[in-house]
Amino acid sequence: MDRNSNTYTFIFSISMVIVVAVVLSFLATSLKPKQSKNVRQEKMQNILNTFVGDSIEVDGKKVELTRELASEKFDEFIKNQYALNYKGETVESVNAFNINLATEIKKPVEEQIFPLYEAEFNGQTFFVIPLRGSGLWDAIWGYVALKDDLNTIEGIIFDHKGETAGLGAEITTDWFQERFKDEKIYDGNNIVGVEVTKGYSGGNDKTDHQVNAISGATMTGNGVTNMMKERLAKYKPFFEKLKNSKLAIQ
């Protein structure tokens, strides 16, 4: 075939597209198990990070809580996983860890399932709640660990898909997330979460349900505020049942 002809160019182009498509398809298929493993381990790392921190003692030495180590320690620290409906009832047919929150929040509240993790670490009990909401440009999410009183925040981590570097993306930094430690999520009998407040002047007050915002990231901060209030409030029915059961035991 004449290599200078239009027919040759057309056939050659089609052939290259097919070859590249086959190679990409093969790579995507072959790498999928590894990608799924990484996503699973990262989720475990994030959940443990809220109450363990970014390092942990192993054989008498402080070591980084890597994804691999988190996957080894996950079942040791997470004692119960709950899949809850809007009434605070356990849905036994659903595996809490496999719940896709991005999918759940698109459903009517009555159809949503809320995952919850109960952990024990250093003699204390924590309850870890997944969060998901909207930032300035795209989705934001995170995990918050509550102490045994179901009111006080032990630790929190945030992540995002597309917030602005140096501004909204700062929600992932330790200095911002540490502002939430020991904040209260209940105001009286209502769960209000924690408000990210521009120009906050409350200092280190842990009872006013507010933390200082990130300069230049008002919309992302509002997203964090809304996400916490909206998601945490869904757990009130379960929390009330848990508190009542503890009182009954006493």
Side-chain angles (χ1 to χ4, degrees), residues 151-199:
N151 186 26
T152 307
I153 293 177
E154 169 65 17
I156 196 167
I157 64 168
F158 296 117
D159 208 340
H160 67 94
K161 185 176 182 180
E163 300 308 291
T164 308
L167 297 175
E170 293 293 291
I171 62 173
T172 64
T173 57
D174 290 343
W175 60 263
F176 178 69
Q177 296 168 11
E178 286 170 359
R179 293 176 178 175
F180 291 80
K181 183 173 176 57
D182 293 328
E183 289 285 338
K184 313 298 181 186
I185 66 167
Y186 267 92
D187 184 6
N189 291 323
N190 298 317
I191 293 181
V192 298
V194 179
E195 180 181 359
V196 179
T197 304
K198 185 179 180 181

Side-chain angles (χ1 to χ4, degrees), residues 80 82 84 87-90 116-119 125-129 146-151 186 235-250:
N80 290 301
Y82 303 95
L84 307 171
K87 296 179 180 178
E89 301 166 334
T90 302
L116 175 68
Y117 305 90
E118 182 178 355
T125 299
F126 302 102
F127 294 89
V128 183
I129 297 172
L146 302 178
K147 296 182 180 181
D148 195 31
D149 63 359
L150 300 171
N151 186 26
Y186 267 92
Y235 292 84
K236 185 179 178 183
F238 179 77
F239 287 170
E240 298 305 311
K241 290 181 180 180
L242 200 57
K243 289 177 180 177
N244 291 336
S245 66
K246 288 182 178 180
L247 290 174
I249 293 174
Q250 292 174 353

